[in-house]
């Protein structure tokens, strides 16, 4: 008995705190066979109906167990021990009245010792030992040692259950944190970094990496957490698929677990590389969306058989959310590229439009304006040659008509491209715009600018702001029924702030922006487009009966056309 107690202590069953429940139950089974001196041992875990839910064995090879087939169902002698819940020791189990017999390919078992296992005072399972080594029967001392082992096993199992519950709770918190972070990211590299960091926190005993493979490429993008041994030792920023065991994940979309890596048993250069650096086990999960495999999440440990089924489940869950985040990031990237191209084309169209406006304005002012001036001079000269009052009256009417045409032509040319904008700058151009607008529509318009230096405003920004204010004032004249308008410019913290306000009838902004008639919202959308092309923002604040305020913010340092 003393020798068995020594073996029990040497087994260290109570000294390990890092095993999962499944690993603990397997370890208890192996310890029982070692301590009691049996050829075979098994542990049956019971469900709430006291049926065998899980079965662990020791002494049989995997091949022998597969030949036997179905695991025990709790009939025969196993059922007796389950029903009675007491220790049972037999010289020859086959001679017991309730013996059920053995299935084909089952090894011969005669001597038998079974003891119950209680966890927290409740039946948990049964521990069986058969075939006492040396051909003898199990003794009373064996039974006492087995009962002592069962009591210790109950304590270890309880601790393993509590530990798994705590680990699952912690894993769930980490998983929620990772998922929440992934949902907020919009580019591939950030997704990989967040996933790798989160997995590293969940698997502190391992080194973690994510691999993103490009379509039709054999190389990859690797991502490591800070301080990773992979980062320090894997000098190349890529992996070739066919030189790693990860090809299984990519080609067959299956997870991979290598419990024992060694230099001698390595099948790929990457496995050999891991083994030479002390890594002994590897786990890998494909990152797949729909029919496409985008990459792999993998982790390696310096311990053999370091990864459990819970680790596999955790990684699979993270992988699914990484695939969703990568899908969203790529769709957003394509959308941004389309928007960039659209913005660039729109910018070119607007630039061409402004240049054409400038050309037409100059032609109207310089050529047609000069012709009208010449016509007016000729009419004045002709007037001297006529003495008849009726002819002089008609010439006066013609002169007045030419003056009106010249004034209208000058106004059209100015609206197309105000010379003040190029010659005197934004402030002078807006001041002139508000004065002419007020005189034309009979609505007072206050204009103010707080020490704005025109030299600091790029020409493309100036023309963009001018067009926005011009459109806003046009909308006020057409729709607002206002008795007062205000235009103000301010420079604050590297931004140009422009406000156009009125005290008119106002409107519901969301309704206008969603209006089915595009002409109803074209002006507002045009102003927003111009602000966006200048890397700025335009907001409209308006309510029925409360007037309207248009606020534009343009960063002076980053403005662009």
């Amino acid at each position: 008995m003393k020798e068995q107690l020594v073996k029990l202590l040497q087994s260290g069953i109570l000294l390990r705190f890092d095993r999962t429940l499944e690993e603990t139950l397997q370890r208890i089974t192996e310890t029982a066979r070692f301590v009691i001196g049996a050829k075979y041992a098994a542990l049956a875990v019971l469900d709430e109906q006291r049926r065998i839910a899980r079965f662990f064995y020791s002494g049989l090879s995997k091949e022998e167990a597969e030949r036997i087939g179905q695991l025990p169902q709790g009939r025969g002698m196993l059922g007796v021990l389950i029903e009675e819940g007491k220790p049972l020791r037999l010289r020859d189990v086959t001679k017991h009245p309730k013996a059920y017999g053995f299935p084909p390919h089952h090894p011969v078992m005669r001597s038998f010792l079974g003891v119950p296992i209680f966890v927290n005072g409740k039946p948990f399972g049964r521990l069986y030992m058969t075939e006492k080594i040396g051909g003898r029967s199990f003794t009373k001392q064996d039974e006492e040692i087995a009962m002592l082992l069962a009591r210790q096993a109950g304590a270890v199992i309880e601790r393993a259950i509590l530990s798994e519950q705590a680990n699952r709770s912690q894993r769930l918190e980490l998983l929620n944190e990772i998922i929440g972070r992934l949902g907020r990211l919009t580019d591939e590299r950030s997704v990989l970094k967040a996933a790798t960091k989160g997995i590293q926190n969940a698997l502190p005993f391992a080194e973690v990496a994510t691999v993103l493979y490009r379509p039709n490429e054999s190389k990859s993008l690797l991502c490591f957490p800070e301080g990773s041994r992979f980062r320090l030792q894997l000098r190349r920023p890529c992996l070739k698929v066919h030189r790693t065991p990860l090809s299984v994940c990519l080609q067959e979309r299956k997870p991979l677990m290598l419990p024992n890596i060694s230099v001698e048993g390595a099948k790929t250069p990457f496995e050999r590389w891991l083994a030479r650096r002390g890594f002994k086990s590897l786990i890998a999960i494909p990152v797949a969306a729909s029919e496409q495999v985008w990459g792999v999440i993998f982790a390696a440990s310096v311990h053999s058989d370091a990864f459990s089924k819970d680790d596999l489940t955790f990684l699979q869950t993270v992988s699914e959310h990484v695939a969703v985040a990568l899908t969203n990031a790529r769709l957003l990237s394509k959308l941004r590229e389309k928007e960039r191209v659209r913005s660039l084309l729109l910018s070119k169209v607007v630039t061409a439009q402004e240049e054409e406006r400038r050309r037409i304005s100059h032609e109207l002012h310089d050529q047609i304006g000069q012709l009208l001036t010449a016509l007016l001079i000729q009419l004045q000269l002709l007037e001297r040659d006529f003495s008849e009052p009726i002819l002089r009256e008609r010439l006066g009417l013609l002169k007045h008509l030419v003056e009106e045409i010249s004034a209208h032509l000058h106004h059209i040319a100015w609206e197309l491209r105000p010379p003040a904008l190029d010659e005197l700058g934004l402030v002078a151009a807006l001041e002139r715009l508000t004065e002419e607008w007020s005189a034309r529509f009979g609505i007072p318009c206050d204009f103010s600018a707080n020490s704005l230096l025109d030299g600091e405003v790029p020409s493309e920004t100036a023309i963009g702001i001018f067009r926005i204010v011009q459109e806003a004032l046009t909308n006020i004249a057409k729709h607002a029924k206002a008795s007062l308008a205000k235009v103000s410019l301010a420079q604050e913290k590297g931004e140009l702030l422009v406000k156009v306000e009125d005290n008119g009838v106002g409107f519901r902004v969301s309704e206008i922006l969603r209006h089915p008639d595009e002409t109803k919202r074209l002006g507002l959308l045009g102003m927003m487009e111009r602000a966006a092309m200048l890397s700025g923002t335009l907001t409209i604040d308006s309510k029925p009966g409360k007037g309207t305020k248009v606020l534009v913010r343009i960063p002076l340092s980053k403005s662009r056309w």
Side-chain angles (χ1 to χ4, degrees):
M1 185 174 184
K2 181 178 179 181
E3 181 182 349
Q4 289 176 312
L5 287 173
V6 171
K7 287 183 178 181
L8 182 58
L9 291 173
Q10 289 176 341
S11 69
I13 190 171
L14 293 175
L15 300 180
R16 288 292 298 274
F17 296 88
D18 58 345
R19 292 193 179 98
T20 64
L21 177 60
E22 188 167 314
E23 292 170 338
T24 298
L25 295 175
Q26 184 62 44
R27 178 64 176 171
I28 290 170
T29 308
E30 293 168 356
T31 299
R33 186 169 72 89
F34 169 70
V35 172
I36 302 302
K39 189 174 182 180
Y40 307 103
L43 193 158
V45 180
L46 307 180
D47 60 19
E48 294 181 356
Q49 285 73 39
R50 302 187 74 182
R51 295 175 300 194
I52 296 178
R54 285 188 290 175
F55 197 81
F56 300 84
Y57 57 85
S58 176
L60 289 175
S61 67
K62 185 177 181 180
E63 292 73 21
E64 289 174 323
E66 289 176 351
R67 282 198 297 271
I68 295 172
Q70 189 178 23
L71 295 174
Q73 302 297 306
R75 295 171 291 189
M77 295 309 305
L78 301 187
V80 172
L81 185 56
I82 291 172
E83 291 172 6
E84 296 182 358
K86 298 177 181 179
L88 181 63
R89 180 162 46 93
L90 300 172
R91 180 184 295 274
D92 189 345
V93 68
T94 61
K95 295 181 180 180
H96 192 278
K98 292 189 176 182
Y100 190 79
F102 299 107
H105 309 295
H106 197 286
V108 176
M109 296 181 180
R110 297 189 182 279
S111 54
F112 177 89
L113 174 60
V115 293
I117 296 177
F118 293 89
V119 174
N120 200 20
K122 298 178 181 179
F124 177 83
R126 301 293 183 263
L127 186 61
Y128 312 108
M129 282 73 65
T130 60
E131 290 298 284
K132 177 70 175 181
I133 293 176
R136 305 184 305 274
S137 300
F138 292 102
T139 65
K140 183 64 175 177
Q141 289 182 347
D142 292 329
E143 183 180 323
E144 291 175 358
I145 292 294
M147 287 297 295
L148 176 60
L149 175 60
R151 287 193 292 272
Q152 291 183 347
V156 173
I157 292 169
E158 181 180 8
R159 187 173 62 209
I161 292 173
L162 293 175
S163 178
E164 278 205 351
Q165 290 174 347
N167 288 338
R168 286 197 181 105
S169 177
Q170 184 180 15
R171 281 281 176 90
L172 184 59
E173 290 180 6
L174 288 171
L175 184 60
N176 289 335
E177 183 180 339
I178 294 172
I179 293 172
R181 190 174 298 144
L182 291 176
R184 297 189 294 270
L185 299 175
T186 57
D187 66 278
E188 290 182 352
R189 192 173 292 274
S190 296
V191 168
L192 295 183
K193 285 183 177 180
T196 307
K197 182 178 179 182
I199 295 169
Q200 185 67 76
N201 291 336
L203 304 176
F205 57 88
E207 295 293 334
V208 180
T210 53
V211 190
L212 187 63
Y213 287 96
R214 304 294 185 183
N216 303 320
E217 293 183 14
S218 62
K219 294 186 178 181
S220 61
L221 172 65
L222 282 172
C223 185
F224 314 97
E226 289 296 327
S228 169
R229 286 178 60 188
F230 286 156
R231 180 187 293 275
L232 296 175
Q233 298 180 12
L234 193 61
R235 297 178 180 177
R236 297 177 182 176
C238 62
L239 285 176
K240 292 185 178 180
V241 180
H242 65 280
R243 294 172 65 86
T244 74
L246 308 180
S247 58
V248 174
C249 299
L250 294 172
Q251 295 168 5
E252 301 180 23
R253 301 184 64 172
K254 294 180 179 179
L256 171 72
M257 291 185 74
L258 300 178
N260 293 290
I261 299 174
S262 64
V263 175
E264 298 78 15
K267 296 180 180 179
T268 63
F270 185 63
E271 290 175 71
R272 195 173 300 110
W273 181 90
L274 288 172
R276 285 174 177 169
R277 282 151 184 81
F279 294 105
K280 296 181 180 178
S281 56
L282 176 74
I283 187 171
I285 301 292
V287 178
S290 299
E291 298 301 319
Q292 184 178 5
V293 181
W294 287 6
V296 177
I297 298 171
F298 71 91
S301 173
V302 295
H303 303 289
S304 298
D305 201 16
F307 301 101
S308 65
K309 290 183 179 179
D310 284 346
D311 296 329
L312 181 64
T313 302
F314 175 80
L315 289 178
Q316 286 174 324
T317 305
V318 173
S319 170
E320 291 171 2
H321 288 277
V322 169
V324 172
L326 287 174
T327 301
N328 293 338
R330 291 189 176 183
L331 290 175
L332 184 59
S333 177
K334 291 180 181 179
L335 183 62
R336 283 174 174 169
E337 179 59 21
K338 288 182 179 179
E339 181 62 24
R340 188 190 69 80
V341 173
R342 189 194 71 84
S343 179
L344 181 62
L345 293 175
L346 181 61
S347 173
K348 289 182 177 180
V349 169
V350 172
T351 302
Q353 184 186 61
E354 287 297 332
E355 289 301 317
E356 186 65 12
R357 283 182 176 221
R358 187 201 298 268
R359 185 187 65 80
I360 295 173
S361 175
H362 286 172
E363 287 185 0
L364 288 174
H365 185 272
D366 296 342
Q367 296 182 22
I368 300 178
Q370 289 176 7
L371 290 174
L372 287 172
T373 301
L375 177 60
L376 182 61
I377 292 172
Q378 291 299 319
L379 288 173
Q380 290 172 345
L381 293 174
L382 186 62
E383 187 179 18
R384 297 176 185 177
D385 296 334
F386 290 99
S387 58
E388 295 183 19
I390 188 168
L391 292 177
R392 292 178 66 87
E393 183 181 349
R394 288 183 179 179
L395 282 173
L397 291 174
L398 289 174
K399 283 168 54 181
H400 181 69
L401 183 59
V402 171
E403 288 173 349
E404 281 194 358
I405 292 173
S406 181
H408 282 297
L409 187 66
H410 177 75
H411 177 74
I412 292 171
W414 190 90
E415 281 201 331
L416 282 170
R417 182 74 177 197
L421 192 62
D422 298 317
E423 297 168 4
L424 302 177
L426 179 61
V427 174
L430 288 180
E431 190 171 13
R432 173 75 181 278
L433 173 65
T434 53
E435 288 175 358
E436 290 202 354
W437 180 87
S438 184
R440 184 179 180 186
F441 295 103
I443 304 172
C445 184
D446 295 336
F447 174 75
S448 62
N450 67 342
S451 304
L452 186 68
L453 298 176
D454 288 321
E456 296 180 3
V457 182
S459 60
E460 65 270 19
T461 301
I463 188 62
I465 291 297
F466 182 86
R467 295 302 181 202
I468 290 173
V469 173
Q470 192 177 42
E471 179 65 27
L473 290 175
T474 300
N475 289 339
I476 293 173
K478 286 183 177 180
H479 310 294
K481 299 179 181 179
S483 60
L484 179 65
K486 294 180 181 179
V487 176
S488 63
L489 278 76
Q491 186 174 335
E492 296 180 4
K493 299 178 180 178
E495 283 188 328
L496 181 64
L497 273 62
V498 184
K499 292 181 186 178
V500 182
E501 304 173 79
D502 69 72
N503 64 349
V505 295
F507 61 96
R508 289 185 175 86
V509 179
S510 59
E511 289 183 4
I512 295 299
L513 291 178
R514 293 197 301 264
H515 201 282
D517 185 354
E518 191 173 293
T519 59
K520 298 289 186 182
R521 50 191 168 90
L522 198 56
L524 298 182
L525 294 177
M527 290 192 294
M528 291 178 177
E529 288 282 4
R530 284 188 179 272
M533 285 191 292
L534 298 173
S535 299
T537 59
L538 183 145
T539 57
I540 303 171
D541 183 13
S542 183
K543 293 180 181 179
K546 300 294 184 181
T548 301
K549 179 172 71 174
V550 175
L551 176 62
V552 184
R553 292 179 178 271
I554 305 295
L556 290 175
S557 59
K558 297 181 180 179
S559 61
R560 57 181 174 85
W561 195 260

